[in-house]
Amino acid sequence: MPTDEPDPTHPASLRPPRVLGDVDSAASDRASRWWWDHDAENYHDEHGAFLGTYTGGGDFVWCPEDVRESEAGLLGEIEGRTILEIGCGSAPCARWLAANGAHAVGVDLSRRMLGIGLDAMASDEVRVPLIQATAETLPFADESFDTACSAFGAIPFVADSAGVMAEVARVLKPGGRWVFAVNHPMRWMFLDDPGPEGLTVRIPYFNRTPYTETDPNGQITYVEHHRTIGDRVRELRAAGFILDDIIEPEWPDGHDREWGQWSPFRGRYFPGTAIFCSHKPA
């Protein structure tokens, strides 16, 4: 590996100090593409089974709290609908949608994540088109889809999330639903620690400085962008969406799986996920 490349063994859970200053779209895309290309195998070793990546026909898991579309029905009617998954990763959600009658398409920035998805769907009865692209510039014509969704994909990792909302509005047909799950904004204040240390506020909720990780040469290798609840609502409204609901899943009884900062311990005190449900006016 060239000496100017980041170290792919650096775990995402080791959080070095924040880097002051903004991170623009180009830098964010570059970091996210690199990170998910290099961490894809590790990610799936840890989470692939839970997400349904290797399940025939995939699965649709909205969040670490184990909210599943098969039970929640947040997208409404899916059979026969054209549905775009943004930040699809290895596309278990898009595959599940296709297996249940939708005409699904997945978009992700990472070539390796998409490659894992292609391998996983090799034995599926229905294959899903997977496209490498940034969420800030969706490669589709206006009003191409009935529904759009994102389960922890793209939205926290792009510099211009308001621009993503506008792009989704552009490619959705009138009346189309847009549902996306992200880290609950209040989680920004706490360390990525699933235990008692993770209950201590360390960062102001209103500090929107991007979280970054860098290699020894200062190259950004990982980035997340924080937006408050109010920011998200204003982004949706500015794009012309009507907000229908904000779901804050409670930690379910008997669910003992830890995922980074998500845990049964922390889940008793505050939400880890926010799911924004909206639609484009007819």
Side-chain angles (χ1 to χ4, degrees):
M1 178 176 292
T3 57
D4 61 345
E5 283 290 310
D7 178 4
T9 65
H10 178 63
S13 60
L14 297 179
R15 299 305 194 189
R18 293 170 181 273
V19 174
L20 297 178
D22 199 8
V23 182
D24 64 15
S25 294
S28 295
D29 283 358
R30 186 164 53 248
S32 293
R33 184 183 297 110
W34 185 92
W35 179 263
W36 294 108
D37 279 350
H38 285 77
D39 196 56
E41 274 72 22
N42 292 333
Y43 180 83
H44 284 89
D45 286 346
E46 187 172 359
H47 305 300
F50 175 70
L51 294 174
T53 300
Y54 307 112
T55 301
D59 199 355
F60 199 130
V61 182
W62 278 107
C63 54
E65 291 88 349
D66 201 25
V67 176
R68 295 173 184 267
E69 179 61 18
S70 58
E71 299 173 353
L74 302 182
L75 300 180
E77 180 64 40
I78 63 172
E79 186 171 2
R81 303 295 176 90
T82 55
I83 302 180
L84 175 64
E85 184 186 6
I86 298 170
C88 66
S90 58
C93 298
R95 290 169 53 217
W96 182 88
L97 290 168
N100 285 273
H103 305 293
V105 177
V107 169
D108 199 90
L109 192 63
S110 168
R111 181 184 181 93
R112 183 61 193 127
M113 292 290 276
L114 293 174
I116 291 174
L118 287 172
D119 291 342
M121 79 168 81
S123 59
D124 288 355
E125 291 186 10
V126 182
R127 295 179 65 83
V128 175
L130 300 181
I131 298 170
Q132 185 179 18
T134 173
E136 292 184 23
T137 309
L138 296 172
F140 305 106
D142 296 357
E143 300 184 5
S144 297
F145 296 94
D146 298 306
T147 305
C149 59
S150 184
F152 277 82
I155 306 302
F157 307 106
V158 298
D160 185 12
S161 52
V164 173
M165 304 300 163
E167 272 291 89
V168 175
R170 180 183 65 79
V171 302
L172 271 183
K173 298 175 183 177
R177 293 196 192 193
W178 166 223
V179 182
F180 63 93
V182 293
N183 296 13
H184 195 289
M186 72 173 294
R187 285 284 174 119
W188 190 253
M189 300 185 292
F190 302 91
L191 293 178
D192 284 0
D193 187 324
E197 285 295 315
L199 299 182
T200 303
V201 172
R202 300 293 179 89
I203 300 163
Y205 177 73
F206 300 104
N207 180 355
R208 297 171 180 82
T209 303
Y211 170 81
T212 60
E213 296 181 6
T214 59
D215 70 0
N217 298 313
Q219 180 179 343
I220 298 173
T221 58
Y222 183 89
V223 62
E224 286 187 30
H225 296 267
H226 170 58
R227 300 291 182 267
T228 68
I229 287 281
D231 291 338
R232 293 287 181 221
V233 171
R234 285 185 288 273
E235 288 178 348
L236 286 166
R237 287 177 56 83
F241 287 105
I242 295 174
L243 180 64
D244 300 309
D245 199 1
I246 302 174
I247 298 170
E248 301 167 297
E250 295 186 40
W251 196 268
D253 293 337
H255 183 49
D256 59 2
R257 176 186 176 84
E258 288 190 2
W259 182 325
Q261 60 180 280
W262 284 264
S263 68
F265 176 80
R266 292 227 311 192
R268 296 200 303 266
Y269 293 96
F270 52 82
T273 298
I275 306 175
F276 292 81
C277 305
S278 66
H279 71 276
K280 180 178 176 178

Short mmCIF file of all heavy atoms in Angstrom, two decimals, residues 16-41:
data_model
loop_
_atom_site.label_atom_id
_atom_site.label_comp_id
_atom_site.label_asym_id
_atom_site.label_seq_id
_atom_site.Cartn_x
_atom_site.Cartn_y
_atom_site.Cartn_z
N PRO A 16 -10.38 9.90 17.78
CA PRO A 16 -9.40 10.94 18.10
C PRO A 16 -10.07 12.30 18.20
O PRO A 16 -11.26 12.43 17.91
CB PRO A 16 -8.44 10.89 16.91
CG PRO A 16 -9.28 10.38 15.79
CD PRO A 16 -10.30 9.45 16.40
N PRO A 17 -9.36 13.34 18.61
CA PRO A 17 -9.98 14.67 18.73
C PRO A 17 -10.59 15.15 17.42
O PRO A 17 -10.13 14.80 16.33
CB PRO A 17 -8.81 15.56 19.16
CG PRO A 17 -7.82 14.63 19.77
CD PRO A 17 -7.95 13.35 19.01
N ARG A 18 -11.61 15.99 17.54
CA ARG A 18 -12.22 16.57 16.36
C ARG A 18 -11.26 17.51 15.65
O ARG A 18 -10.41 18.13 16.28
CB ARG A 18 -13.48 17.34 16.75
CG ARG A 18 -14.57 16.45 17.27
CD ARG A 18 -15.68 17.28 17.84
NE ARG A 18 -16.71 16.38 18.36
CZ ARG A 18 -17.69 15.89 17.63
NH1 ARG A 18 -17.79 16.21 16.37
NH2 ARG A 18 -18.57 15.07 18.15
N VAL A 19 -11.42 17.59 14.36
CA VAL A 19 -10.65 18.54 13.57
C VAL A 19 -11.48 19.80 13.40
O VAL A 19 -12.64 19.74 12.97
CB VAL A 19 -10.29 17.95 12.18
CG1 VAL A 19 -9.63 18.99 11.32
CG2 VAL A 19 -9.39 16.73 12.35
N LEU A 20 -10.92 20.95 13.77
CA LEU A 20 -11.66 22.20 13.63
C LEU A 20 -11.77 22.59 12.16
O LEU A 20 -10.87 22.34 11.37
CB LEU A 20 -10.97 23.30 14.41
CG LEU A 20 -10.90 23.10 15.93
CD1 LEU A 20 -10.14 24.25 16.56
CD2 LEU A 20 -12.29 22.98 16.53
N GLY A 21 -12.88 23.20 11.82
CA GLY A 21 -13.06 23.65 10.45
C GLY A 21 -14.07 22.78 9.71
O GLY A 21 -14.46 21.72 10.17
N ASP A 22 -14.48 23.26 8.57
CA ASP A 22 -15.49 22.58 7.79
C ASP A 22 -14.86 21.51 6.91
O ASP A 22 -13.65 21.51 6.66
CB ASP A 22 -16.24 23.60 6.92
CG ASP A 22 -17.57 23.06 6.44
OD1 ASP A 22 -17.97 21.98 6.90
OD2 ASP A 22 -18.21 23.71 5.60
N VAL A 23 -15.70 20.58 6.45
CA VAL A 23 -15.28 19.54 5.51
C VAL A 23 -16.28 19.59 4.36
O VAL A 23 -17.47 19.34 4.56
CB VAL A 23 -15.28 18.14 6.16
CG1 VAL A 23 -14.80 17.10 5.15
CG2 VAL A 23 -14.41 18.13 7.40
N ASP A 24 -15.83 19.94 3.16
CA ASP A 24 -16.74 20.16 2.06
C ASP A 24 -17.18 18.84 1.42
O ASP A 24 -16.77 17.75 1.83
CB ASP A 24 -16.14 21.10 1.02
CG ASP A 24 -14.89 20.53 0.35
OD1 ASP A 24 -14.62 19.32 0.44
OD2 ASP A 24 -14.17 21.34 -0.29
N SER A 25 -18.01 18.95 0.40
CA SER A 25 -18.59 17.76 -0.23
C SER A 25 -17.53 16.86 -0.83
O SER A 25 -17.59 15.63 -0.69
CB SER A 25 -19.60 18.18 -1.30
OG SER A 25 -20.71 18.82 -0.74
N ALA A 26 -16.56 17.43 -1.52
CA ALA A 26 -15.53 16.63 -2.16
C ALA A 26 -14.72 15.84 -1.13
O ALA A 26 -14.46 14.65 -1.31
CB ALA A 26 -14.60 17.52 -3.00
N ALA A 27 -14.33 16.51 -0.04
CA ALA A 27 -13.56 15.83 1.00
C ALA A 27 -14.40 14.78 1.71
O ALA A 27 -13.90 13.69 2.04
CB ALA A 27 -13.04 16.86 2.00
N SER A 28 -15.67 15.07 1.94
CA SER A 28 -16.55 14.10 2.58
C SER A 28 -16.74 12.87 1.71
O SER A 28 -16.66 11.72 2.18
CB SER A 28 -17.91 14.73 2.88
OG SER A 28 -17.80 15.77 3.82
N ASP A 29 -16.99 13.08 0.42
CA ASP A 29 -17.16 11.96 -0.49
C ASP A 29 -15.89 11.11 -0.57
O ASP A 29 -15.95 9.87 -0.56
CB ASP A 29 -17.52 12.46 -1.90
CG ASP A 29 -18.97 12.90 -2.01
OD1 ASP A 29 -19.71 12.77 -1.01
OD2 ASP A 29 -19.37 13.37 -3.09
N ARG A 30 -14.77 11.77 -0.65
CA ARG A 30 -13.50 11.05 -0.75
C ARG A 30 -13.25 10.19 0.50
O ARG A 30 -12.87 9.02 0.40
CB ARG A 30 -12.36 12.05 -0.95
CG ARG A 30 -11.01 11.42 -1.21
CD ARG A 30 -10.04 12.45 -1.77
NE ARG A 30 -9.95 13.65 -0.93
CZ ARG A 30 -10.39 14.85 -1.28
NH1 ARG A 30 -10.96 15.04 -2.46
NH2 ARG A 30 -10.26 15.89 -0.46
N ALA A 31 -13.51 10.77 1.68
CA ALA A 31 -13.30 10.03 2.92
C ALA A 31 -14.28 8.87 3.04
O ALA A 31 -13.88 7.75 3.40
CB ALA A 31 -13.44 10.97 4.11
N SER A 32 -15.54 9.10 2.74
CA SER A 32 -16.54 8.04 2.87
C SER A 32 -16.29 6.91 1.88
O SER A 32 -16.43 5.73 2.21
CB SER A 32 -17.94 8.62 2.68
OG SER A 32 -18.28 9.49 3.74
N ARG A 33 -15.93 7.28 0.66
CA ARG A 33 -15.63 6.24 -0.33
C ARG A 33 -14.46 5.38 0.14
O ARG A 33 -14.50 4.15 0.09
CB ARG A 33 -15.32 6.88 -1.69
CG ARG A 33 -15.09 5.84 -2.79
CD ARG A 33 -14.71 6.51 -4.10
NE ARG A 33 -15.76 7.37 -4.61
CZ ARG A 33 -15.70 8.70 -4.65
NH1 ARG A 33 -14.64 9.33 -4.19
NH2 ARG A 33 -16.70 9.39 -5.14
N TRP A 34 -13.41 6.04 0.64
CA TRP A 34 -12.25 5.29 1.11
C TRP A 34 -12.61 4.42 2.31
O TRP A 34 -12.28 3.23 2.35
CB TRP A 34 -11.10 6.24 1.50
CG TRP A 34 -9.87 5.45 1.88
CD1 TRP A 34 -8.86 5.08 1.06
CD2 TRP A 34 -9.58 4.90 3.16
NE1 TRP A 34 -7.95 4.32 1.75
CE2 TRP A 34 -8.36 4.19 3.05
CE3 TRP A 34 -10.22 4.93 4.40
CZ2 TRP A 34 -7.78 3.52 4.12
CZ3 TRP A 34 -9.64 4.26 5.47
CH2 TRP A 34 -8.43 3.57 5.32
N TRP A 35 -13.29 5.01 3.29
CA TRP A 35 -13.58 4.28 4.52
C TRP A 35 -14.41 3.03 4.25
O TRP A 35 -14.08 1.93 4.68
CB TRP A 35 -14.30 5.17 5.54
CG TRP A 35 -14.61 4.38 6.78
CD1 TRP A 35 -15.78 3.76 7.10
CD2 TRP A 35 -13.69 4.07 7.83
NE1 TRP A 35 -15.66 3.10 8.28
CE2 TRP A 35 -14.39 3.27 8.75
CE3 TRP A 35 -12.36 4.40 8.07
CZ2 TRP A 35 -13.79 2.79 9.91
CZ3 TRP A 35 -11.76 3.94 9.23
CH2 TRP A 35 -12.47 3.13 10.13
N TRP A 36 -15.51 3.20 3.53
CA TRP A 36 -16.41 2.06 3.33
C TRP A 36 -15.83 1.05 2.36
O TRP A 36 -16.16 -0.14 2.45
CB TRP A 36 -17.79 2.56 2.92
CG TRP A 36 -18.43 3.33 4.02
CD1 TRP A 36 -18.63 4.68 4.07
CD2 TRP A 36 -18.89 2.82 5.28
NE1 TRP A 36 -19.20 5.03 5.28
CE2 TRP A 36 -19.36 3.91 6.04
CE3 TRP A 36 -18.93 1.53 5.83
CZ2 TRP A 36 -19.89 3.75 7.31
CZ3 TRP A 36 -19.46 1.38 7.10
CH2 TRP A 36 -19.93 2.48 7.83
N ASP A 37 -14.99 1.46 1.44
CA ASP A 37 -14.28 0.47 0.61
C ASP A 37 -13.35 -0.39 1.45
O ASP A 37 -13.26 -1.61 1.26
CB ASP A 37 -13.45 1.18 -0.48
CG ASP A 37 -14.28 1.60 -1.68
OD1 ASP A 37 -15.46 1.19 -1.78
OD2 ASP A 37 -13.75 2.35 -2.52
N HIS A 38 -12.67 0.22 2.41
CA HIS A 38 -11.67 -0.50 3.20
C HIS A 38 -12.25 -1.22 4.41
O HIS A 38 -11.66 -2.20 4.88
CB HIS A 38 -10.56 0.46 3.64
CG HIS A 38 -9.62 0.83 2.55
ND1 HIS A 38 -9.94 1.74 1.57
CD2 HIS A 38 -8.37 0.40 2.26
CE1 HIS A 38 -8.92 1.86 0.73
NE2 HIS A 38 -7.96 1.06 1.13
N ASP A 39 -13.38 -0.74 4.92
CA ASP A 39 -13.95 -1.34 6.13
C ASP A 39 -15.10 -2.30 5.83
O ASP A 39 -15.68 -2.87 6.75
CB ASP A 39 -14.44 -0.23 7.07
CG ASP A 39 -14.69 -0.74 8.48
OD1 ASP A 39 -13.75 -1.28 9.08
OD2 ASP A 39 -15.82 -0.57 8.99
N ALA A 40 -15.41 -2.50 4.57
CA ALA A 40 -16.61 -3.26 4.21
C ALA A 40 -16.61 -4.67 4.79
O ALA A 40 -17.63 -5.13 5.32
CB ALA A 40 -16.74 -3.32 2.68
N GLU A 41 -15.48 -5.37 4.70
CA GLU A 41 -15.44 -6.74 5.21
C GLU A 41 -15.61 -6.76 6.73
O GLU A 41 -16.36 -7.58 7.27
CB GLU A 41 -14.14 -7.42 4.81
CG GLU A 41 -14.16 -8.08 3.45
CD GLU A 41 -14.16 -7.07 2.29
OE1 GLU A 41 -13.74 -5.91 2.51
OE2 GLU A 41 -14.60 -7.44 1.18
#
